[in-house]
Amino acid sequence: GEKAKDFDDAVSIQKTDRGFRLGVHIADVSYYVAENSWLDREALERGISIYYSDGVIPMLPVELSNNLCSLKPEVERPTISVLIDYDKDGVVLNHRIFSSIIKSCKRFSYDEAWKLLQSGDVDGKYATTFPSLKFMHHFSRVLRKKRILEGSINFHIPEPDIRVLPNDQIEDVVVAESNEVHQLIEEFMLAANREISKHLHFRKIPSIHRIHRVPDAVKLENLNDFLSTLGLSLSNPQSIKTFDLQRLVDQAYKKPYEYVVSTLILRAMKKAEYSNCDPGHFCLNFDHYTHFTSPIRRYPDLVIHRILKNFMHRKPSDRQKKKLNSQIGHWAEHSSLMEQKAQKVEREIQDLRKAQFMSDKVGREYYGMIISVAAFGFFVELKEHCIEGLVRLSSMVDDYYIFIETEHKLKGRHDFKTFQIGDAIKVRVANVSIAKRQIEFTLISP
């Protein structure tokens, strides 16, 4: 991103006789943060960096996160590298993992790289990097296509981009752009994390896993009840496969209810978490997965780095395995807890900024879509901004409305008018509470 200051990953690519060699090089934070040092204990306590619209609460001191550990251009930095050889269809042939020192030749922002890929290097300014970038773009699309064909679910969920001015005023709240360079980096990080996890699994080395369990069958049955109102359905909620959910996402793509369907599928799923057991990652449809690529901002990644370095050239003894297993359970549980807390803080700051932005817009009218329905009313997301607000049932005095939970719907008792997820409506901003971080709307018309 444009404002990022901590760069913990770099990528490289080469053509080979059989296909491609992808290099993912990750800052070796363990080089600076000694295990069980005061710095390490504080990093464990925090568990994760908290990122929000106009700042960050880092897991590590800024001198490390933004300077010594950061893979800045034209500066030598210690890293752990994973080189993965693929054939031309994206099938893994082999991999190598080793400690390294790299010197990044260029720092691209997502937008800068995407504009370059769209326009081409017309003036030859990027002669040393553009060929690699172009090659990476092609290869990432090969990997993405293969991953989705093999069962990874590809959601389309808009995220808010809260633009804060230097004077702390909110300039705008819009849907964050996600271009193909975001996808490029995502594919390469997924590939590296997966290979690291497989490497540790097959060598029987204990590690922290990033897991995602199979969704709850009851929640899927409830989801199916709602989908039927849209003419959609899950064929077998009792033995769900990722392909079934991806089919739903594809059917809803670019339809008015696309966001709603994706959101409800996510709500039916369990949260991803860290664990010392390895049931796989349901959403990605990976048998083995871990987090390795962000040790500057996630403690489990730092643990994986230490494990890799300790057992890069030897296998752990039974005693070492036993000790590691006992530690990993605690680290995984604590990291999952801190991740949930960080997400809560990020949401609260996001809601605060949204309320601040809407505070001077009471009385204005907007078009939006119902994204959630409850017994006390329904939430509307504005079409113009990535902002949600509540229409209270108590403000709807034209009829007596009954909440139908399984269909995510309010239905009038007398005139049978309905309000359900996915409906487009027009609302007026009725009240904004910055202290409560809440926005309320009144209904104008369906």
Side-chain angles (χ1 to χ4, degrees), residues 255-303:
K255 300 282 197 319
Y257 48 76
E258 176 189 5
Y259 170 80
V260 171
V261 170
S262 294
T263 301
L264 289 178
I265 291 174
L266 282 173
R267 286 180 191 169
M269 287 186 173
K270 295 180 179 177
K271 291 184 182 294
E273 59 184 320
Y274 297 106
S275 176
N276 58 345
C277 61
D278 188 17
H281 197 291
F282 174 80
C283 191
L284 292 172
N285 202 29
F286 289 172
D287 290 334
H288 311 288
Y289 191 63
T290 192
H291 273 171
F292 155 78
T293 53
S294 295
I296 289 177
R297 65 183 182 92
R298 294 188 303 226
Y299 193 79
D301 303 53
L302 175 55
V303 170

Side-chain angles (χ1 to χ4, degrees), residues 94-358:
N94 53 61
H95 71 257
R96 289 174 56 213
I97 302 165
F98 50 92
S99 293
S100 54
I101 293 177
I102 68 156
K103 185 166 69 171
S104 169
C105 61
K106 171 67 181 173
R107 183 254 162 159
F108 280 106
S109 71
Y110 290 120
D111 290 344
E112 183 185 7
W114 181 230
K115 286 173 184 173
L116 180 58
L117 283 170
Q118 289 179 302
S119 64
D121 186 20
V122 289
D123 54 7
K125 182 181 175 183
Y126 300 96
T128 58
T129 51
F130 182 61
S132 287
L133 183 62
K134 199 173 172 185
F135 192 26
M136 286 177 183
H137 182 223
H138 161 72
F139 181 49
S140 68
R141 294 171 82 172
V142 171
L143 288 183
R144 187 175 183 83
K145 182 180 178 181
K146 181 175 182 294
R147 180 172 61 82
I148 293 171
L149 285 173
E150 290 177 349
S152 280
I153 306 174
N154 182 33
F155 288 110
H156 309 283
I157 304 287
E159 294 286 339
D161 177 12
I162 300 173
R163 298 173 180 175
V164 184
L165 295 170
N167 64 358
D168 206 41
Q169 296 298 305
I170 314 301
E171 180 185 22
D172 206 352
V173 181
V174 296
V175 176
E177 289 187 25
S178 179
N179 58 49
E180 290 188 26
V181 181
H182 289 86
Q183 296 169 11
L184 180 159
I185 294 300
E186 179 187 19
E187 288 307 318
F188 292 171
M189 298 305 113
L190 287 172
N193 286 332
R194 191 180 190 184
E195 285 306 301
I196 293 292
S197 185
K198 285 159 59 179
H199 174 86
L200 293 170
H201 172 80
F202 289 114
R203 293 189 69 200
K204 294 183 172 57
I205 300 173
S207 65
I208 294 181
H209 307 279
R210 181 64 170 178
I211 70 169
H212 188 235
R213 300 182 190 275
V214 177
D216 180 75
V218 174
K219 287 186 176 181
L220 290 174
E221 290 285 3
N222 292 336
L223 171 64
N224 222 8
D225 290 338
F226 169 71
L227 292 172
S228 65
T229 67
L230 301 175
L232 303 172
S233 68
L234 281 170
S235 55
N236 193 357
Q238 296 298 327
S239 57
I240 194 71
K241 304 292 183 189
T242 53
F243 297 98
D244 302 321
L245 295 174
Q246 184 60 52
R247 179 176 57 83
L248 278 178
V249 173
D250 291 341
Q251 288 174 344
Y253 184 57
K254 290 193 174 178
K255 300 282 197 319
Y257 48 76
E258 176 189 5
Y259 170 80
V260 171
V261 170
S262 294
T263 301
L264 289 178
I265 291 174
L266 282 173
R267 286 180 191 169
M269 287 186 173
K270 295 180 179 177
K271 291 184 182 294
E273 59 184 320
Y274 297 106
S275 176
N276 58 345
C277 61
D278 188 17
H281 197 291
F282 174 80
C283 191
L284 292 172
N285 202 29
F286 289 172
D287 290 334
H288 311 288
Y289 191 63
T290 192
H291 273 171
F292 155 78
T293 53
S294 295
I296 289 177
R297 65 183 182 92
R298 294 188 303 226
Y299 193 79
D301 303 53
L302 175 55
V303 170
I304 293 296
H305 278 232
R306 287 184 180 138
I307 292 171
L308 287 170
K309 287 174 74 175
N310 286 338
F311 304 111
M312 199 169 281
H313 305 295
R314 62 189 176 94
K315 289 187 176 181
S317 65
D318 289 343
R319 185 179 176 182
Q320 287 172 318
K321 284 184 182 180
K322 187 177 180 180
K323 180 184 177 184
L324 201 50
N325 268 321
S326 66
Q327 292 173 314
I328 281 172
H330 166 66
W331 292 334
E333 184 179 358
H334 179 73
S335 296
S336 296
L337 176 65
M338 296 311 294
E339 180 183 47
Q340 291 168 21
K341 287 186 175 183
Q343 288 170 349
K344 184 181 178 184
V345 170
E346 288 166 1
R347 282 195 299 269
E348 287 180 353
I349 295 174
Q350 202 174 87
D351 290 344
L352 172 66
R353 289 310 201 182
K354 289 177 179 179
Q356 288 173 330
F357 176 70
M358 295 298 290

Side-chain angles (χ1 to χ4, degrees), residues 55-71:
V56 59
I57 303 169
M59 182 181 79
L60 298 171
V62 171
E63 288 82 356
L64 285 178
S65 63
N66 292 6
N67 187 15
L68 283 175
C69 294
S70 193
L71 305 183

